[in-house]
Amino acid sequence: MDPIQVTVNGEVRAGGAAGPHTSLLDWLRGEGFTGAKEGCAEGECGACAVIVARPEPDGTTRWVSVNSCLPPALAFDGQEVVTSEGLGRAPGACAIADLHPVQKEMAERGGSQCGYCTPGFVCSMAAEYYRPDRTPAEGDGPEQTGPAAVGPDHAADHEHGPNGFDLHAMSGNLCRCTGYRPIKDAAYALGRPAATDTLARRREEPAPAARPTRVVTDAGEFVRPASLAELFDRLADAPDAVLVAGATDAGVERNIRHLRPPLTLAIDRLEELRGLHVGPDHIELGAALTLTEIETRLAGSVPLLADLFPQFASRLIRNGATLGGNLGTGSPIGDAPPVLLALDATVLLASAAGAREVPLADYFTGYRESVRGPGEIIRAVRIPLPLAPRTAFYKIAKRRFDDISSVAVAVAATLDGGSVARVRIGLGGVAATPIRARATEDALTGRPWTADVAREAAAVMAAEGTPLDDHRASARYRAAMLEQTLLKFYEENHDAPALEVTR
């Protein structure tokens, strides 16, 4: 194997000091890049945010922000990382004229007080600044900044600026002292990157290819297999190895529970797990595609997924998290399983012995347990076509964004002649596993789509699963939320056309 190398702020640096369990954040700070900070160590505060180069389907590069406290540093062997120190035109300079446009606007608009969170905000804002499909309003020139570009009178809505800036880009960044108004003002004041901007020009070139990596220390082993076949060989010898894509779960386990698996296998860049195919009968989503990549490439063509993505953690997390990881952990409070259950999805499992397709409704067998056998991985998720015309996703949590569900409900229904021809309902947070609300589906299927039937079915839904009492919600509250979500779905869809079946 070649020596471990990571390009940081345009300079290639030896990564040999990183061990199998060293986070990217700890390695960067050890290299002197102390702008990124550890706040929560769980991916919730964004103080550790940095920017990384990721491949676009057309062969170009997209700059995306990630929480550096979660992924292993060795996962960035051969990759490019930009920290807050690397954004300025003259690193280390203090003059306003030498700052990056994002840094300049944050400074001029009072977007920082204690400054602990500021480097993370700057990196998340810079990733959005360089988003290639960010479209400013007509007349917003390449360098346009200033008060004229700021304010609700110019914004399309309260979460998008007149310069095309999406505030969801910062939904995973937490500030405890400055207040968000000046930060929002700074974001909405940004124009387009200048033609001479180095990071903007870098987008036209390919992103670095993944490099096979192997590091062995007394603490454990880290391997990035070169192929799916090599992955299966390693799993045959060590079926309990931890698979890592975005590490949004494994990183928390390392930081909070101090888990140190003997073998970590990085699978995020395996091409066999990164396909997205739309066929006549189904949509296939590779298990190692990030949620942001799926969201961008589907472009709203699966409305139920489009409802899910903004409510799934934060942009920083979605830039690393994958469907394979969300299903692989087997968590009963994952947000993706209820949606995929409502979509009647299947899971493609693969191993050295072959492949098989399992309905997601049959995949979970117990708390964080599934039918996936030793040496078997999730290769892809399939969503059958055509899609149900009436869908909704309801997430009940204590915060609007970036929170864990107390209850999650996804509904997909098809009406025919004023009756319910078909309905699928996925539930999360109400049992030891994500479940289908089968009794409620039976109470609706073939019956008229009326308020009385909806109320009867909602009463059935209140008893679905085994609602739990825990620190997030009581069993009584969960039962009430199950009932109310179905009633809400009816209110939102009771004016449905009499005929919706796709034949």
Side-chain angles (χ1 to χ4, degrees):
M1 295 286 182
D2 294 331
I4 305 301
Q5 294 182 331
V6 184
T7 299
V8 183
N9 300 334
E11 178 186 353
V12 178
R13 306 179 74 91
H21 309 302
T22 304
S23 70
L24 177 62
L25 172 64
D26 287 344
W27 179 77
L28 286 171
R29 291 182 62 82
E31 292 291 305
F33 301 103
T34 55
K37 311 291 199 302
E38 181 177 291
C40 64
E42 296 182 282
E44 290 192 68
C45 73
C48 64
V50 299
I51 310 170
V52 298
R54 287 290 181 251
E56 290 276 56
D58 63 0
T60 59
T61 293
R62 178 181 288 239
W63 293 110
V64 301
S65 55
V66 298
N67 291 298
S68 64
C69 72
L70 298 177
L74 294 175
F76 294 86
D77 179 24
Q79 303 303 298
E80 296 179 30
V81 178
V82 176
T83 70
S84 57
E85 294 93 337
L87 286 173
R89 297 188 180 104
C94 296
I96 286 287
D98 294 320
L99 296 178
H100 185 276
V102 170
Q103 296 169 326
K104 180 175 181 290
E105 293 298 341
M106 284 284 280
E108 290 185 341
R109 297 175 189 280
S112 175
Q113 285 189 34
C114 81
Y116 194 91
C117 67
T118 304
F121 269 98
V122 164
C123 286
S124 290
M125 290 171 68
E128 176 67 5
Y129 176 69
Y130 290 115
R131 178 165 59 88
D133 52 347
R134 181 175 68 89
T135 306
E138 187 176 352
D140 192 13
E143 296 281 3
Q144 181 173 341
T145 59
V150 181
D153 292 340
H154 297 271
D157 59 54
H158 68 287
E159 293 172 356
H160 297 83
N163 57 353
F165 194 100
D166 182 358
L167 286 181
H168 284 278
M170 298 186 293
S171 66
N173 292 92
L174 176 67
C175 178
R176 295 186 180 273
C177 59
T178 301
Y180 295 101
R181 186 200 54 76
I183 297 172
K184 177 181 174 181
D185 287 352
Y188 284 3
L190 294 166
R192 297 184 182 90
T196 56
D197 188 303
T198 302
L199 295 179
R201 288 185 295 165
R202 173 64 185 84
R203 296 178 305 184
E204 304 306 314
E205 303 170 11
R211 295 206 315 176
T213 304
R214 182 169 183 259
V215 171
V216 183
T217 70
D218 292 342
E221 183 178 4
F222 178 95
V223 176
R224 180 183 293 284
S227 65
L228 201 57
E230 182 184 345
L231 172 64
F232 291 148
D233 287 343
R234 296 306 303 252
L235 286 174
D237 296 332
D240 294 329
V242 171
L243 304 181
V244 168
T248 55
D249 188 74
V252 175
E253 295 286 289
R254 178 194 64 235
N255 294 340
I256 305 301
R257 298 182 61 192
H258 308 291
L259 296 187
R260 300 293 186 268
L263 174 60
T264 300
L265 297 172
I267 61 172
D268 55 309
R269 302 297 292 276
L270 284 175
E271 288 303 317
E272 298 96 329
L273 306 181
R274 290 184 48 78
L276 192 156
H277 308 288
V278 179
D281 301 320
H282 66 261
I283 299 170
E284 184 170 309
L285 306 173
L289 285 171
T290 69
L291 299 186
T292 296
E293 288 174 319
I294 295 172
E295 180 182 20
T296 301
R297 293 172 64 178
L298 288 181
S301 59
V302 181
L304 195 48
L305 285 177
D307 287 345
L308 163 70
F309 291 134
Q311 301 182 69
F312 190 112
S314 67
R315 176 66 66 193
L316 285 163
I317 292 294
R318 295 196 296 276
N319 285 341
T322 64
L323 287 181
N326 205 233
L327 297 177
T329 63
S331 171
I333 54 174
D335 285 335
V339 169
L340 295 174
L341 284 167
L343 290 170
D344 230 3
T346 59
V347 179
L348 275 65
L349 302 176
S351 68
R356 59 183 177 132
E357 187 172 357
V358 178
L360 183 59
D362 300 330
Y363 173 78
F364 301 104
T365 58
Y367 179 72
R368 290 189 179 271
E369 296 178 347
S370 71
V371 299
R372 187 160 55 93
E376 206 166 31
I377 68 165
I378 300 173
R379 186 177 71 78
V381 173
R382 280 184 180 165
I383 298 171
L385 296 175
L387 300 171
R390 295 275 167 164
T391 62
F393 175 61
Y394 305 105
K395 176 173 177 173
I396 293 91
K398 294 181 179 179
R399 295 193 302 264
R400 184 178 174 210
F401 296 117
D402 201 10
D403 200 5
I404 295 172
S405 299
S406 298
V407 177
V409 179
V411 186
T414 302
L415 306 182
D416 185 5
S419 296
V420 181
R422 189 172 187 270
V423 62
R424 294 288 183 270
I425 304 172
L427 306 180
V430 298
T433 69
I435 61 171
R436 280 258 306 275
R438 294 185 184 274
T440 307
E441 293 172 2
D442 291 342
L444 287 170
T445 304
R447 301 190 67 191
W449 186 231
T450 64
D452 288 341
V453 170
R455 281 192 290 268
E456 290 177 23
V460 173
M461 191 147 135
E464 293 275 15
T466 53
L468 309 173
D469 272 305
D470 61 22
H471 65 283
R472 292 190 190 91
S474 67
R476 182 179 177 184
Y477 177 81
R478 285 186 163 101
M481 291 303 97
L482 289 175
E483 183 173 15
Q484 290 302 311
T485 52
L486 190 58
L487 294 176
K488 183 176 182 179
F489 181 78
Y490 174 78
E491 288 301 319
E492 293 173 343
N493 292 275
H494 71 275
D495 59 342
L499 183 64
E500 283 192 343
V501 173
T502 302
R503 290 188 171 92

